[in-house]
Amino acid sequence: MMTINSTQVSYFVLGAYLDTGMFKYLCFMIILCLYVLIISANVFLIVIICMNRSLHEPMYLFLVSLFANELYGSTGLFPLLLVQILSDVHTVSYSLCFLQIFCLYSYVCVEFLNLAVMSYDRYLAICHPLQYKTSMTSKKVATLIALAWLFPSLMIVVLISLSAPLQLCGNIINKVTCGNYAIVKLTCTETRINNIYGLIHTIISIITPLILILYTYMRILKVCFSGCKQSRQKAVSTCTPHLASILNFSFGCCFQIVQSRFYVSSVPSMLDIILSLYFLTCQPLFTPLLYGLKMSNIRILCQQLLFGEV
């Protein structure tokens, strides 16, 4: 096979799109409505928290960071997805493909770090309530949020800088979105450095936050079961949305990693596409609905704003 230099590959072909005929307009409307709903729900809750001084506490400020990341991640996916659904030729430019990789990969890393920071916040609040206000200062909150955003961005910049110069033997990506490993698999040259860094990146950005989350919740559960019934109920009501969000997102990420690294031929094409988009489409909607409905302070303020005094 003739080697194609990466500078000669001006676009990629997204080969996972199916010919749905006239149904593509229905798919377009469903995806568009989902995108509008995601934007509306996340922006609404960000405004609720920012406009109410009673919610200017660390837990809610971390939620603002989480909601902002949902907007960021969905914007990295939906506009290009909507264009591709209506298009007859599913191509994406070389630079735009790597831009989407940066957005989606940094979204995932920021999500896990935000969830890890939130679990640390709950750990301090429940396990060390007397030291909580002195430990979780406004300066520390700002530092944790900044690190949750800046560190993943730096990691993804390094990841892309290793992948972008590779010489490619083709330009067909068998996915509906651009993926770093899908591009690495097209290369004609040695990819050992890319594979090693990819493993390091996965350990640092995904596995390490999950271990921290697991540790903090083990400590939280230990304190809950040793306390009174009222403290257990309060802790459970506060932590349930967080745990549900972690489980939902982790499931989607695990499938995505397995799908990108291993070819799963037994999964039907349509199901494969749906599952590959699961954590990118459901999490941005799942997060605001879960926290908005489950956390009483936010729910009451939402009811007051939408339906008047309750």
Side-chain angles (χ1 to χ4, degrees):
M1 182 180 291
M2 183 179 67
T3 301
I4 302 176
N5 191 279
S6 60
T7 57
Q8 294 177 310
V9 177
S10 59
Y11 66 90
F12 292 101
V13 177
L14 301 176
Y17 284 91
L18 304 174
D19 183 12
T20 55
M22 296 301 292
F23 282 105
K24 68 181 181 181
Y25 298 105
L26 177 62
C27 294
F28 176 85
M29 290 305 300
I30 292 173
I31 298 297
L32 179 61
C33 290
L34 180 61
Y35 185 37
V36 171
L37 188 58
I38 287 170
I39 293 175
S40 302
N42 284 282
V43 169
F44 179 71
L45 290 184
I46 289 173
V47 171
I48 286 287
I49 294 172
C50 291
M51 290 184 64
N52 289 273
R53 295 187 64 84
S54 61
L55 298 183
H56 291 184
E57 299 176 4
M59 178 174 66
Y60 298 105
L61 295 178
F62 293 137
L63 275 178
V64 169
S65 177
L66 192 67
F67 297 147
N69 191 47
E70 306 302 355
L71 290 172
Y72 169 65
S74 57
T75 302
L77 170 70
F78 282 97
L80 183 59
L81 183 63
L82 289 167
V83 170
Q84 293 297 327
I85 288 173
L86 291 182
S87 178
D88 294 325
V89 181
H90 306 293
T91 60
V92 56
S93 69
Y94 188 84
S95 57
L96 186 58
C97 192
F98 276 104
L99 177 61
Q100 186 180 56
I101 290 171
F102 175 82
C103 291
L104 297 185
Y105 279 50
S106 57
Y107 159 72
V108 172
C109 299
V110 172
E111 189 82 358
F112 272 114
L113 283 179
N114 270 325
L115 292 172
V117 167
M118 289 173 67
S119 68
Y120 171 65
D121 173 71
R122 291 300 83 207
Y123 163 72
L124 287 180
I126 294 171
C127 299
H128 304 283
L130 298 179
Q131 293 83 27
Y132 178 71
K133 287 191 178 297
T134 55
S135 298
M136 193 58 72
T137 62
S138 58
K139 183 178 179 180
K140 189 172 185 178
V141 170
T143 301
L144 289 172
I145 291 174
L147 285 174
W149 282 84
L150 295 176
F151 180 70
S153 299
L154 180 62
M155 293 282 290
I156 303 304
V157 166
V158 176
L159 185 74
I160 291 176
S161 67
L162 291 173
S163 302
L166 291 174
Q167 293 182 329
L168 305 179
C169 291
N171 66 343
I172 299 176
I173 300 174
N174 292 314
K175 294 166 65 71
V176 294
T177 60
C178 293
N180 182 71
Y181 191 67
I183 292 176
V184 170
K185 288 192 290 187
L186 296 174
T187 188
C188 309
T189 56
E190 176 61 47
T191 60
R192 184 178 301 173
I193 295 176
N194 299 77
N195 292 330
I196 292 173
Y197 183 79
L199 180 61
I200 293 172
H201 171 260
T202 302
I203 292 172
I204 294 175
S205 301
I206 297 177
I207 297 176
T208 301
L210 282 175
I211 292 173
L212 291 173
I213 291 168
L214 180 63
Y215 171 76
T216 55
Y217 270 96
M218 286 175 63
R219 297 293 300 272
I220 289 171
L221 288 173
K222 183 179 178 181
V223 170
C224 288
F225 284 117
S226 62
C228 62
K229 183 179 179 181
Q230 185 178 2
S231 64
R232 285 201 301 269
Q233 289 176 339
K234 185 177 179 180
V236 168
S237 65
T238 304
C239 296
T240 298
H242 190 212
L243 281 172
S245 183
I246 292 166
L247 291 172
N248 179 67
F249 195 66
S250 298
F251 167 77
C253 283
C254 287
F255 179 83
Q256 184 67 13
I257 291 171
V258 170
Q259 184 202 42
S260 63
R261 291 282 173 171
F262 308 101
Y263 179 69
V264 186
S265 58
S266 59
V267 179
S269 298
M270 183 58 72
L271 180 61
D272 186 50
I273 292 171
I274 292 172
L275 290 175
S276 68
L277 293 174
Y278 172 79
F279 78 109
L280 293 172
T281 55
C282 291
Q283 185 72 9
L285 182 61
F286 182 75
T287 297
L289 291 179
L290 184 66
Y291 286 99
L293 294 173
K294 194 66 180 176
M295 300 189 74
S296 59
N297 288 347
I298 295 178
R299 185 178 67 250
I300 291 170
L301 287 170
C302 289
Q303 289 174 344
Q304 288 176 347
L305 186 63
L306 292 174
F307 309 113
E309 294 293 330
V310 294

